[in-house]
Amino acid sequence: MRISLVIPSFNQGRFLAEALASALDRPDAADQVIICDNLSTDETESVLDGFAARHPDRLQIIRAADAGQADALNTGFARADGDLLGWLNADDLLAEGALARLRQSAGMEPERMAFHGHARLIDETGAAIGHYPVKPEGLLYDFSAGCFLCQPTVYLRRQAMPPLDTTLHTAMDLDLWLRLYRRHPGRIGFIEAVQADQRLHDGAKTRRLRALVFVESMQVLHRHGLTVPESWPLTYAAECGTADPGWADVAAAYGAVAGPAALQALYSHPSISSLDR
């Protein structure tokens, strides 16, 4: 069971060696690792040179300008030749034994079109800070309560992997999961083990681009005919207080997908009634 792993990278050299080691330096290493580096200016190139010297048969490096993460991933997946395809962000890590468990599950459950598993959350230093709230038996409509797949744990069979939406910069994975669950209901497998460590730090897009995360996620849910939970813009309101101009974008997006009445109700919600909106 051949596994191809795509790693999009841009100035994440301080984390990249750990990510690559988790994919290439273990007994259950990936068969093919494709790095799509957006012309990083940090130590990325020297890190890649070292791994390329040790793994010339398994590591492919693409250094080229891209139009965003989804574009880089599409470039990488176009070159992937594995039976199972996944991606690992340059600041995340595979867990020990993750790919061995994936190969075993994929071999035992040929009817499954994708697999995911548990994930730890780690901080900038690699210290554990919690667990991602996965839902092993989640269904399509459960995404309205929040995303229950942790991206670095997810692998799709080649025939189930469509191109990612390059108009999305933070929610391309959520859009992919929704397409996956709609097209292959009941055919998503779960691996009952920690499969990856997802790193939370100030440089990560989920923290740097919080407003865009909320806006794109709401738009993606609406695109797929799912209800946008009131808790999402409320959570953002609580996070940004009155200072973050991103609230205007989030509120506008919520009104567009949930309707004027829902937006008015949101503004009058006790959780934000004291904020100057």
Side-chain angles (χ1 to χ4, degrees):
M1 190 68 65
R2 187 171 172 81
I3 297 174
S4 293
L5 187 65
V6 177
I7 301 181
S9 174
F10 179 63
N11 286 341
Q12 294 291 331
R14 59 185 175 139
F15 301 124
L16 183 58
E18 286 186 87
L20 285 169
S22 74
L24 289 168
D25 289 347
R26 292 174 178 167
D28 64 330
D31 300 282
Q32 180 186 41
V33 174
I34 302 170
I35 292 278
C36 296
D37 180 59
N38 187 22
L39 304 178
S40 294
T41 57
D42 62 358
E43 64 267 39
T44 292
E45 189 170 5
S46 63
V47 171
L48 292 178
D49 287 344
F51 277 89
R54 299 207 306 275
H55 304 286
D57 57 333
R58 286 188 288 148
L59 179 61
Q60 298 179 30
I61 300 171
I62 303 171
R63 284 182 55 81
D66 60 53
Q69 186 178 12
D71 181 50
L73 288 165
N74 285 341
T75 297
F77 287 131
R79 295 198 184 186
D81 59 15
D83 305 296
L84 294 163
L85 309 180
W87 86 80
L88 183 72
N89 289 328
D91 50 359
D92 295 334
L93 304 169
L94 296 180
E96 291 276 358
L99 299 187
R101 290 187 290 270
L102 174 63
R103 287 187 177 96
Q104 181 181 37
S105 295
M108 293 175 61
E109 301 180 86
E111 76 283 3
R112 304 289 190 183
M113 300 305 292
F115 297 87
H116 71 111
H118 292 291
R120 279 184 299 254
L121 301 177
I122 61 175
D123 66 12
E124 189 167 355
T125 69
I129 56 176
H131 288 272
Y132 193 94
V134 301
K135 186 186 289 288
E137 303 298 328
L139 301 173
L140 178 67
Y141 64 81
D142 291 318
F143 282 99
S144 281
C147 183
F148 55 83
L149 275 71
C150 188
Q151 173 269 309
T153 77
V154 182
Y155 289 80
L156 286 72
R157 294 195 191 270
R158 166 185 293 282
Q159 62 268 36
M161 175 65 82
L164 295 170
D165 185 345
T166 57
T167 68
L168 298 170
H169 295 283
T170 66
M172 77 290 290
D173 51 353
L174 177 61
D175 177 65
L176 175 59
W177 311 152
L178 292 172
R179 284 188 279 164
L180 178 67
Y181 274 70
R182 187 176 297 282
R183 292 174 184 173
H184 305 287
R187 301 179 70 187
I188 314 302
F190 186 76
I191 299 171
E192 191 63 57
V194 172
Q195 289 291 93
D197 291 337
Q198 186 172 62
R199 196 184 305 267
L200 302 180
H201 60 99
D202 289 341
K205 286 199 303 184
T206 50
R207 288 191 176 177
R208 287 188 295 108
L209 304 175
R210 291 294 281 166
L212 187 59
V213 170
F214 277 88
V215 168
E216 286 193 350
S217 296
M218 289 189 288
Q219 291 170 341
V220 165
L221 284 184
H222 181 63
R223 174 192 299 178
H224 290 275
L226 298 179
T227 302
V228 175
E230 183 185 71
S231 61
W232 286 18
L234 285 175
T235 298
Y236 187 78
E239 288 181 1
C240 71
T242 58
D244 193 325
W247 168 255
D249 295 330
V250 174
Y254 181 74
V257 301
L263 181 59
Q264 182 59 41
L266 182 72
Y267 270 107
S268 60
H269 196 283
S271 295
I272 59 170
S273 61
S274 61
L275 301 179
D276 182 21
R277 298 293 180 204

